Structure formats: C-alpha cells, structure tokens
C-alpha cells in the first residue's frame, strides 16, 4: 500500500523535469520516463517473486497431497481413549484396553481393532525429540555413540489395522504380556542401518538413555522378535524412520484405538463410545477421525498458504500489467509529435507497433531479472533462519518468467496500437 501510494509520483506540469506542454501537445522529459520505467520494473520484479513463490507453494501442496504415507488411511478410524491411571492399578488399565480392543473387533464390518500410543501426524513427534538412546548387541555405529530411536507402544493387530507388512520375524501376540519375556519390534530402516545384510531378529535391545529412569521405563534387555516396514507417523512425505515398538501390555502409553473397517468408519463411533462407557463410565473419548481426515487437517495450513499466495500472485500480475500499460500509454501520449514526424518521413505503422511492444517486453524482462536476483537473495537470507529452504525449480522460474513477459507484451499492445494509428496531419498540426 505504501509503495502504490507514495512511490509513483506522476509528472507535474509545474515541476521542472516533468511533463511539458508545447502548443497543446504533451511531452515527457527523459528523467520522468526513466522514473516511470523504474517503477514498472519494480512492479514486475515484485510480481515475479510472488508468482514464483505461489507456484512453489502450489507445487509443494500437490506433492504433499499426492504422497503415499505407506499405510492405509481411508478406512482406518482413530479414537483417542487417553490412559487414566487415577483410581486404577496398572493391571486394571491393561484389562480395560484389552476388553475395549476385543469388543470393538467384534463389531460388524470391523476387520481389525488395535491399541496404539500415537495417532499418525496428530501425535507423532510430540513425545520425544530425536528419540532415545539404545544399544543392540552386535550393532556397529559410524560415530561410536549409541544410536537413537523413537518409541511406540502397540497391541497385537496394530500393523494389520494399518495395512503394514512385517519384513521379518513375527507380530506381537496375546502372550506378550506383563511378566512375560520383554520383546520389541523394530523398523526396517533401523535394522538396515545397524545390521546391513545381517540378521537382527532375536538380538537383545537395551535402552541406555538417562531419560528412561524418569519415565518409568525398565532398562532390562528386550528381545527383537520382528522387523516391520517403516511407519512415518510425523511427516506427510514419509522418510526413513528409526522406531522401536513395545507390546502395549508391557508398556502402556498413549491410549489410541485404531479400527480398520469395511463400512463407514464414522458410523462406528457411537458403538465404540458405548463399549468404552460400559467398560469405564468416566473414561474420556476424544477426536474420532479417519486417518484420511487427520491428514487433510494437517494439510490445511499448506492449502491456505497456497490459496492466499496464489491470490496475491494474481493481484500482483494485474498490478504489473496495469503499471506497464500505464507507463507505456503515458510515454506514447508524450511522443505523439515524434511518431507523426516518423510516419511523415516514411516509417511504417508496424515499425512503431513493434517498437512500443519491444519497450514493454524490455521492461518486463528487466523486472524478471531483478526479481530473480531479489528472490535468490531472499532465499539465502531465509536459509539462515529457516531449515531446508529451497529455490524453486527451473520449471517454476521459466513458467513465472513467461507469464510476466506475456503480461508485459499484452499490456503494451493497447498503447502500441494507439501509436501505430497516429494521425500524421493532426500530430503535425498540433505543432
């Protein structure tokens, strides 16, 4: 608003070096023309940054939306049933979730029901930052330090509910209870990182992180009984994850019910609520949603950013077109005498038309070059404050440049046609 309000100071007939009128014919001084050209170039440069940024955000949003998470999301319902230890013993808490899982799994249309500690994207990353340190017998690390991994608690059937296959070993069973042998399942990326080309099942894993003593986690060894495909429950575009899964009966945490169904998932919410209320009347039940809808909710800020920047880009292009057209129209009106003399001396109207269009293209081209330089400088500045800032690809830069160059040419057509239709007699008579 400040730029549009104060920068474009139009020529003043009373100000030296501005608009001069000779015998009723307006003329534009060279300094004024240069200032107007600079302003038009500034508009084009700002528009380029917005158009390129909007295109990058739209491209990023489409990539996020199209990325496959690696597990089923459309038919999986997640319901928060938080762990409430007040008034319950650990055995009663385990019995409560066991009964809820069994009864929900018996509902019509339900293929699998399971308990987990984290809902993908909603809870992922809230419990630990960078993971916890651990050791596995026979593991080799590049830096000699204990590796880190995230920790999740799940019940038998969790991987089946999300449609994630086991790579090696077995899933948890009802026998993996409190008091039985402590076991874990690890992700494929963790196994590959520590045991490339070697067997990892049946090795012993021990948590060594000092934090474990404060969260009540036992530091006794746990036998690895399986390897599962990676489940990235934090990022919309999945990447390699280092995660260790504990049996829910041995490490109660979180309290999330996952239901894989053939029917409408939301139609099961009243029945699940009734089952939970029957098992414990004071048990809270929260935020029932399919993983598809949770993912869409997480994508909402990206969708909003893409829409807002897209709107700003359209407004910027409109302002740039108006600016270029205004500068050229004003310049053409001040060169009426020149065009009349050139036509009288034999110049072709097409020559004048090409000249004015070339001026518009030159303004647009200069603005694009300035916009590229400003955008690159801005990206480098942002990279010092924000992680993983990337300059848009060559396709986005070319598309934004072509859009603004075309806008500059289109904006120059009207004043160009006016110049080509200059009446020689009237132009000379004005002198």
């Amino acid at each position: 608003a400040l730029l549009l309000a104060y920068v474009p100071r139009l020529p003043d007939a009373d100000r030296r070096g501005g608009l001069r009128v000779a015998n009723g014919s307006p003329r534009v001084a060279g300094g004024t023309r240069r200032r107007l050209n600079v302003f038009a170039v500034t508009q084009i440069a700002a528009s380029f940054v917005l158009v390129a940024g909007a295109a990058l955000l739209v491209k990023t949003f489409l990539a996020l939306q199209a990325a496959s998470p690696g597990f089923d999301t459309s038919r999986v319902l997640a319901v928060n049933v938080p762990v409430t230890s007040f008034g319950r013993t650990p055995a009663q808490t385990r019995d409560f979730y066991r009964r809820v899982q069994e009864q929900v799994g018996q509902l019509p249309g339900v293929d699998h029901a399971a308990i987990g500690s984290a809902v993908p994207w909603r809870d992922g990353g809230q419990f630990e930052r960078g993971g916890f340190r651990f050791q596995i017998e026979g593991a080799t690390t590049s830096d000699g330090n204990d590796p880190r991994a995230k920790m999740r608690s799940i019940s038998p059937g969790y991987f089946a509910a999300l449609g994630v296959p086991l790579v090696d070993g077995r899933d948890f069973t009802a026998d993996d209870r409190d008091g039985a042998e402590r076991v874990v399942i690890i992700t494929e990326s963790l196994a590959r990182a520590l045991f490339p080309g070697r067997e990892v099942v049946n090795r012993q894993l021990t948590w060594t992180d000092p934090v474990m003593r404060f969260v009540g986690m036992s530091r006794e060894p746990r036998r690895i009984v399986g390897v599962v495909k990676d489940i990235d429950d934090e990022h919309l575009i999945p990447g390699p994850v280092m995660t260790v899964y504990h049996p829910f009966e041995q490490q109660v945490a979180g309290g999330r019910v996952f239901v894989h169904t053939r029917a409408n998932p939301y139609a099961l919410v009243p029945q699940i609520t009734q089952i939970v209320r029957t098992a414990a009347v004071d048990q809270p039940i929260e935020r029932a949603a399919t993983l598809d809808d949770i993912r869409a909710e997480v994508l909402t800020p990206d969708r909003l950013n893409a829409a807002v920047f897209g709107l700003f880009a359209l407004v910027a292009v409109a302002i740039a077109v108006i600016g270029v057209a205004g500068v050229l129209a004003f310049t053409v009106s001040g060169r009426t005498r020149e065009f009349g003399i050139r036509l009288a001396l034999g110049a072709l109207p097409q020559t004048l038309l090409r000249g004015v269009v070339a001026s518009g293209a030159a303004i647009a081209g200069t603005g694009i070059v300035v916009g590229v330089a400003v955008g690159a400088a801005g990206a480098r500045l942002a990279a010092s404050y924000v992680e993983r800032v990337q300059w848009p690809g060559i396709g986005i830069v070319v598309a934004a440049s072509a859009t603004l160059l075309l806008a500059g040419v289109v904006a120059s057509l009207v004043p160009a046609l006016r110049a080509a239709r200059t009446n020689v007699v009237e132009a000379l008579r004005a002198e």
Side-chain angles (χ1 to χ4, degrees):
L2 291 174
L3 185 67
L4 294 176
Y6 296 106
V7 173
R9 300 181 61 189
L10 295 178
D12 187 353
D14 298 329
R15 180 164 49 85
R16 188 174 182 180
L19 179 67
R20 297 197 301 268
V21 179
N23 298 327
S25 178
R27 301 180 189 175
V28 181
T32 297
R33 187 181 304 168
R34 284 191 295 271
R35 284 195 297 271
L36 292 176
N37 288 343
V38 168
F39 179 64
V41 167
T42 303
Q43 288 180 319
I44 292 289
S47 300
F48 173 84
V49 174
L50 280 176
V51 171
L56 178 62
L57 285 177
V58 171
K59 179 181 177 182
T60 302
F61 171 72
L62 294 177
L64 290 173
Q65 199 170 35
S68 173
F71 51 87
D72 196 355
T73 60
S74 59
R75 296 183 298 164
V76 178
L77 180 73
V79 184
N80 285 19
V81 185
V83 175
T84 55
S85 57
F86 180 76
R88 295 181 189 171
T89 65
Q92 289 174 327
T93 300
R94 288 191 291 269
D95 180 67
F96 164 75
Y97 284 105
R98 191 185 310 120
R99 283 188 291 143
V100 169
Q101 179 185 358
E102 291 174 355
Q103 293 179 28
V104 171
Q106 295 172 0
L107 292 175
V110 173
D111 295 325
H112 303 282
I115 307 296
S117 59
V119 175
W121 307 301
R122 178 190 287 169
D123 300 325
Q126 293 185 1
F127 307 110
E128 69 271 299
R129 296 296 179 185
F132 304 106
R133 293 196 178 276
F134 67 96
Q135 290 179 347
I136 299 180
E137 59 173 339
T140 56
T141 57
S142 58
D143 56 4
N145 297 322
D146 289 348
R148 290 180 176 271
K150 299 168 185 175
M151 183 174 57
R152 301 286 186 265
S153 294
I154 62 172
S155 70
Y158 174 83
F159 299 124
L162 268 63
V164 180
L166 284 169
V167 177
D168 194 10
R170 67 170 177 87
D171 195 357
F172 295 137
T173 67
D175 295 329
D176 297 319
R177 297 173 174 267
D178 185 47
E181 178 191 17
R182 293 189 176 274
V183 294
V184 292
I185 294 175
I186 65 175
T187 55
E188 187 177 24
S189 290
L190 192 154
R192 286 180 177 176
L194 300 181
F195 297 91
R198 292 186 291 163
E199 183 67 30
V200 66
V201 174
N202 292 325
R203 294 182 184 270
Q204 298 292 322
L205 180 148
T206 306
W207 292 106
T208 60
D209 201 295
V211 175
M212 293 303 175
R213 70 180 64 180
F214 299 105
V215 297
M217 172 68 71
S218 170
R219 300 181 67 176
E220 63 183 286
R222 292 165 165 79
R223 184 168 64 92
I224 299 173
V225 296
V227 179
V228 69
K229 284 285 187 181
D230 290 358
I231 302 176
D232 192 342
D233 56 12
E234 295 185 27
H235 306 100
L236 293 173
I237 297 181
V241 292
M242 310 276 278
T243 306
V244 176
Y245 295 95
H246 292 258
F248 195 84
E249 292 268 357
Q250 295 182 356
Q251 186 62 45
V252 178
R256 310 295 189 250
V257 178
F258 295 88
V259 183
H260 190 285
T261 176
R262 300 183 302 273
N264 177 16
Y266 288 103
L268 296 173
V269 175
Q271 301 176 63
I272 295 173
T273 302
Q274 182 61 38
I275 290 173
V276 174
R277 289 280 187 260
T278 301
V281 67
D282 59 342
Q283 175 64 47
I285 304 171
E286 307 165 343
R287 308 179 72 180
T290 63
L291 296 186
D292 250 354
D293 289 343
I294 294 172
R295 192 170 188 270
E297 180 182 351
V298 175
L299 276 171
T300 298
D302 299 279
R303 183 184 295 108
L304 178 62
N305 288 338
V308 170
F309 270 83
L311 178 61
F312 284 168
L314 292 177
V315 173
V317 171
I319 292 175
V321 170
I322 294 172
V324 173
V327 168
L328 293 176
F330 190 78
T331 303
V332 168
S333 66
R335 298 174 64 189
T336 302
R337 174 175 174 271
E338 173 195 339
F339 292 150
I341 293 175
R342 291 175 62 182
L343 290 172
L345 294 176
L348 297 176
Q350 295 85 343
T351 303
L352 301 182
L353 179 65
R354 285 194 297 268
V356 177
V357 171
S359 298
I363 292 175
T366 304
I368 291 170
V369 172
V370 175
V372 171
V374 172
R380 285 195 295 269
L381 179 62
S384 61
Y385 297 96
V386 183
E387 294 182 359
R388 300 167 67 178
V389 172
Q390 296 182 355
W391 180 245
I394 187 64
I396 293 179
V397 174
V398 170
S401 302
T403 299
L404 289 174
L405 189 61
L406 178 62
V409 171
V410 171
S412 62
L413 284 179
V414 173
L417 291 173
R418 180 188 301 173
R421 291 197 300 265
T422 299
N423 190 300
V424 177
V425 176
E426 292 183 358
L428 296 179
R429 184 182 298 164
E431 294 299 313

